[in-house]
């Protein structure tokens, strides 16, 4: 799917290696309310409070267990691993969005996660969502005004009539995904993190979005990419970290790690 | 089990091998990700996001009624119907209107002004816990959330105020210069509400049961704030301490100020002494206190 050529890769070894992200023995624990709940209604709950037992409805999920690595300027790092191995959680921690239970994450500037889904509202028109999403990402009003046409054109929403002035809930899922990606990709970032955003929309839009990601990569210092698509990892990344149940299983050059991962999952 | 190849080829080539993570971070000027900024920097960041805060609250208000046929008309209908219900129960059925002149404007002012504080607090409780998706996806000073929920309530209140002014004029009041006093009163109340919303947002993000408990606390607060009866008339021979407590109650202070501003028959004799000082004091206390209290846990929001 990706057309990335090898010559577009940023060289791995530069004169001086400047770290942009340092992750030092990070643990992340989620507290999930309303898990379990197998036993009892109100009476059981009251008894637990009286007897000072821990609430079994709150379950701790230890999603990332002691991850350490350093990312350097110019690197594109792929994160792979099976579902629930902690990839997305780790990205959020690096972005500083999810506080770590222990350990530290040091970053150069403010890493940003590519994605604005949560800020958008389905009841609003596409037009207002572009503005809202841009503001949520920290763009100024002038920046948004300048980029507005580009964002709408890029999304291709208006190719089949004036859809941008309709509420987003009337969009097809593909159209919604395209607009979300277009908004998210409108801003340049120092440390950019992409969470499986490559495969949205139709074939034509996929090509366009891959191109845009390569542009963003060139401008960004360091790129992280979470994906289950080994081909897009091979095309875009020069280093891969393989996570399995919250720990790093392997960290190294793309071919080596992806090869081992494919062997592990039996994809070959 | 992990093989732990943490010595990547890149790391082997690095000249900074012996350094610990902290030293390395310090050498290249890396900062702890998601660390809480200093108070002044935090205020600056929040100010930089002001357009997002207002756009977000406006969008939320707008999105509320898009599915209804009458659409944005509900922004006016909701407060009107509210006032109607309260008038039916407290004015006609229970007869609490005795001893109060101009009962309808009196009641409607009380209901609207209290609702502003009440809904700000309620929305504040859920400002963090209800927006976890947004908080886990994007970077912005988290105080944007409780501030924008308060702004949402303010917009609704402004709608209610147009209804209120219409009712007051229909009641036969003539617009006077003293109506302008409503502006500083509203401003102070908004600051108070924003501070309360921020404090409640932090509590609500940790104590998830608060959302269930708050409606009861707020209803108690409403019945003790003289929303549908006149506090000064009811408190004729109550002990001094009870009187004092009910009089310094911030909700009662803001309600009284608004009544004083809009209703002719509500004279300054019915106001407690030092009422503007109290109004400003509460705004300052809640505004600054709530903001600092919220900021202290800035890096923890999002853990859920």
């Amino acid at each position: 799917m990706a057309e990335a050529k090898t010559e577009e890769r940023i060289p791995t070894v530069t004169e001086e290696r400047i770290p942009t992200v340092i992750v030092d023995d990070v643990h992340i624990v989620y507290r999930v309310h309303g898990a379990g709940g197998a036993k009892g209604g109100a009476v059981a709950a009251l008894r637990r409070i009286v007897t000072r037992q821990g609430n079994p409805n709150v379950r701790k999920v230890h999603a990332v267990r002691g991850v350490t690595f350093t990312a350097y300027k110019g690197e594109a790092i792929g994160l792979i691993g099976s579902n629930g191995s902690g990839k997305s959680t780790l990205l959020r921690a690096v972005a500083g969005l999810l506080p770590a239970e222990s350990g530290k994450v040091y970053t150069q500037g403010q890493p940003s996660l590519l994605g604005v889904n949560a800020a958008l509202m389905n009841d609003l028109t596409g037009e207002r969502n572009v503005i809202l999403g841009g503001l949520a990402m920290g763009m100024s009003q002038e920046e948004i005004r300048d980029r507005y046409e580009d964002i709408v054109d890029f999304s291709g929403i208006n190719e089949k009539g004036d859809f941008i002035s309709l509420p987003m809930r009337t969009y097809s899922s593909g159209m919604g995904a395209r607009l979300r990606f277009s908004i998210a990709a409108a801003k340049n970032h120092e440390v950019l993190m992409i969470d499986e955003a490559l495969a949205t929309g139709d074939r034509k839009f996929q090509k366009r979005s891959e191109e845009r990601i390569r542009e963003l990569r060139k401008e960004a210092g360091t790129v992280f990419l979470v994906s289950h698509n080994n081909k897009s990892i091979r095309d875009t990344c020069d280093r891969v970290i393989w996570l399995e149940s919250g720990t790093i299983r392997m960290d190294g050059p793309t071919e080596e790690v992806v090869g081992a991962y494919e062997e592990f999952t039996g994809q070959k | 089990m992990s093989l732990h190849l943490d010595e990547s080829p890149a790391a082997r080539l690095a000249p900074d091998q012996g350094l610990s993570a902290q030293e390395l971070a310090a050498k290249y000027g890396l900062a702890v990700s998601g660390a809480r900024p200093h108070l002044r920097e935090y205020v600056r960041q929040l100010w930089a996001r002001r357009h997002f805060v207002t756009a977000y609250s406006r969008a939320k208000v707008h999105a509320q009624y898009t599915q209804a046929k009458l659409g944005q008309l509900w922004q006016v209908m909701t407060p009107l119907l509210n006032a109607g219900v309260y008038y039916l129960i407290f004015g006609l059925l229970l007869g609490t209107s005795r001893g109060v002149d101009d009962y309808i404007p009196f009641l409607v002012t009380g209901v609207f002004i209290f609702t502003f504080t009440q809904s700000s607090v309620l929305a504040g409780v859920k400002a963090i816990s209800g927006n976890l998706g947004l908080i886990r996806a994007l970077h912005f000073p988290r105080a944007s959330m409780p501030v924008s929920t308060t702004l949402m309530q303010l917009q609704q209140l402004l709608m209610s105020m147009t209804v209120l002014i219409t009712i007051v004029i229909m009641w036969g009041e003539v617009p006077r210069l003293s109506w302008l006093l409503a502006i500083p009163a509203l401003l102070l109340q908004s600051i108070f509400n924003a501070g309360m919303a921020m404090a409640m947002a932090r509590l609500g993000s940790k104590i998830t049961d608060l959302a269930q408990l708050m409606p009861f606390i707020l209803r108690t607060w409403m019945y003790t704030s003289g929303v549908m009866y006149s506090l000064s008339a009811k408190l004729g021979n109550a002990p001094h301490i009870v009187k004092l407590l009910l009089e310094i109650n911030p909700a009662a202070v803001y309600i009284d100020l608004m009544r004083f501003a809009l209703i002719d028959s509500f004279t300054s004799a019915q106001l407690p002494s030092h009422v503007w000082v109290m109004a400003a004091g509460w705004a300052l206390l809640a505004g600054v206190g709530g903001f600092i209290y919220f900021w202290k846990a800035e890096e923890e929001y999002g853990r859920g």
Side-chain angles (χ1 to χ4, degrees):
Chain A
M1 76 187 245
E3 316 279 301
K5 299 284 180 321
T6 3
E7 67 261 22
E8 282 187 27
R9 287 193 187 151
I10 298 158
T12 319
V13 185
T14 44
E15 307 298 298
E16 197 196 1
R17 301 187 54 79
I18 303 161
T20 49
V21 175
I22 302 173
V23 177
D24 183 20
D25 194 27
V26 161
H27 289 259
I28 296 162
V29 178
Y30 278 109
R31 276 171 197 80
V32 185
H33 289 269
K39 249 205 300 184
V43 181
L46 191 67
R47 192 186 308 137
R48 277 195 301 273
I49 293 169
V50 172
T51 56
R52 284 173 180 269
Q53 276 177 21
N55 187 351
N57 280 335
V58 181
R59 230 173 48 213
K60 288 186 176 179
V61 178
H62 204 151
V64 172
R65 308 157 181 258
V67 166
T68 303
F69 68 87
T70 305
Y72 297 90
K73 199 173 167 70
E75 273 185 329
I77 300 177
L79 284 172
I80 55 173
S82 42
N83 283 331
S85 54
K87 306 179 294 286
S88 302
T89 308
L90 182 61
L91 271 200
R92 295 219 159 113
V94 172
L97 297 165
L98 205 63
E101 185 85 3
S102 70
K104 283 255 161 63
V105 178
Y106 304 91
T107 57
Q108 177 83 66
Q110 183 60 73
S112 353
L113 210 59
L114 186 65
V116 284
N117 306 10
L120 305 184
M121 291 175 211
N122 272 329
D123 281 330
L124 298 183
T125 60
E127 195 179 348
R128 281 188 82 163
N129 269 311
V130 171
I131 296 168
L132 187 63
L135 287 172
M137 289 192 301
M139 290 164 79
S140 70
Q141 283 180 314
E142 295 78 54
E143 264 179 284
I144 296 169
R145 225 171 292 136
D146 291 345
R147 295 249 174 128
Y148 178 80
E149 286 302 320
D150 291 341
I151 294 172
V152 176
D153 288 348
F154 185 89
S155 70
I157 294 284
N158 272 355
E159 277 164 14
K160 292 193 181 71
D162 181 27
F163 276 102
I164 199 76
S165 55
L166 285 180
M168 253 180 91
R169 73 180 121 87
T170 61
Y171 291 10
S172 73
S173 51
M175 278 165 76
R178 270 153 52 181
L179 184 62
R180 281 192 284 273
F181 178 84
S182 312
I183 298 170
K187 194 173 180 256
N188 299 330
H189 309 274
E190 272 175 82
V191 176
L192 178 67
M193 309 176 163
I194 304 163
D195 196 343
E196 295 184 269
L198 280 168
T200 52
D202 50 27
R203 186 78 186 87
K204 200 169 126 205
F205 187 73
Q206 274 178 26
K207 275 191 138 179
R208 234 183 319 173
S209 52
E210 276 157 23
E211 224 163 84
R212 177 70 188 136
I213 285 180
R214 273 199 295 281
E215 273 174 44
L216 286 172
R217 259 200 60 187
K218 268 184 226 152
E219 286 154 26
T222 308
V223 177
F224 288 88
L225 174 66
V226 168
S227 181
H228 283 290
N229 185 334
N230 291 344
K231 186 158 185 334
S232 65
I233 293 264
R234 278 200 169 100
D235 286 340
T236 33
C237 303
D238 34 48
R239 176 180 166 192
V240 170
I241 294 173
W242 174 11
L243 279 177
E244 210 58 66
S245 36
T247 51
I248 293 187
R249 195 169 168 119
M250 222 171 154
D251 174 1
T254 305
E255 226 12 81
E256 211 174 286
V257 182
V258 175
Y261 178 64
E262 279 173 344
E263 218 165 278
F264 174 77
T265 52
Q267 279 178 18
K268 262 187 176 170
Chain B
M1 281 275 80
S2 70
L3 289 159
H4 232 294
L5 285 171
D6 63 5
E7 284 271 297
S8 72
R12 275 195 294 275
L13 285 165
D16 305 309
Q17 223 186 351
L19 296 178
S20 76
Q22 202 175 353
E23 288 160 350
L24 192 64
K27 182 177 169 188
Y28 289 97
L30 272 59
V32 174
S33 186
R36 169 161 53 106
H38 289 288
L39 194 56
R40 190 184 300 187
E41 168 66 13
Y42 191 64
V43 174
R44 198 195 57 75
Q45 285 181 5
L46 189 60
W47 179 246
R49 285 302 181 107
R50 64 193 179 278
H51 295 299
F52 169 61
V53 174
T54 50
Y56 191 74
S57 60
R58 246 181 294 137
K60 277 266 190 192
V61 170
H62 189 83
Q64 244 174 354
Y65 302 112
T66 47
Q67 300 260 30
K69 263 212 180 108
L70 291 176
Q72 303 307 314
L73 201 56
W74 279 107
Q75 291 197 21
V76 186
M77 297 267 289
T78 313
L80 206 56
L81 288 174
N82 257 327
V85 169
Y86 279 105
Y87 176 65
L88 181 72
I89 294 176
F90 292 100
L92 297 179
L93 293 179
L94 293 179
T96 24
S97 57
R98 269 164 295 165
V100 182
D101 301 324
D102 301 328
Y103 186 67
I104 289 187
F106 178 91
L107 172 75
V108 175
T109 312
V111 170
F112 287 176
I113 295 298
F114 188 81
T115 308
F116 180 32
T117 293
Q118 181 186 36
S119 47
S120 299
V121 169
L122 271 181
V125 173
K126 291 184 186 155
I128 295 297
S129 54
N131 285 311
L132 271 185
L134 190 56
I135 283 164
R136 285 182 184 162
L138 288 170
H139 258 286
F140 53 83
R142 303 317 188 196
S144 314
M145 286 290 110
V147 171
S148 84
T149 58
T150 310
L151 280 182
M152 256 179 89
Q153 306 309 329
L154 180 64
Q155 284 172 73
Q156 307 235 327
L157 179 78
L158 292 180
M159 279 293 166
S160 308
M161 288 303 282
T162 48
V163 172
L164 175 62
I165 301 267
T166 321
I167 292 178
V168 169
I169 289 176
M170 282 191 336
W171 197 252
E173 305 263 349
V174 185
R176 282 167 296 127
L177 216 54
S178 77
W179 285 22
L180 290 178
L181 286 176
I183 296 168
L186 261 191
L187 198 71
L188 291 175
Q189 196 195 358
S190 304
I191 297 171
F192 173 80
N193 286 357
M196 289 294 286
M198 282 188 273
M200 295 316 293
R202 176 171 172 184
L203 288 173
S205 74
K206 288 271 172 281
I207 312 164
T208 43
D209 303 67
L210 210 57
Q212 267 72 38
L213 190 64
M214 274 329 274
F216 300 102
I217 297 174
L218 286 166
R219 215 171 306 155
T220 315
W221 192 10
M222 178 169 81
Y223 291 128
T224 52
S225 299
V227 172
M228 43 300 249
Y229 58 91
S230 162
L231 268 182
S232 53
K234 282 261 184 292
L235 284 177
N237 41 19
H240 181 68
I241 180 79
V242 175
K243 233 172 163 169
L244 188 75
L245 278 178
L246 290 176
E247 270 179 0
I248 60 168
N249 168 5
V253 168
Y254 294 121
I255 291 172
D256 279 349
L257 276 180
M258 189 57 77
R259 281 175 183 157
F260 172 64
L262 294 182
I263 306 170
D264 210 12
S265 61
F266 196 92
T267 56
S268 56
Q270 279 162 276
L271 286 176
S273 43
H274 307 302
V275 67
W276 283 102
V277 178
M278 283 198 283
W282 276 119
L284 199 70
L285 187 72
V288 174
F291 184 71
I292 291 177
Y293 180 68
F294 185 88
W295 162 76
K296 287 257 184 200
E298 172 75 6
E299 69 274 33
E300 285 164 34
Y301 304 123
R303 189 178 283 160

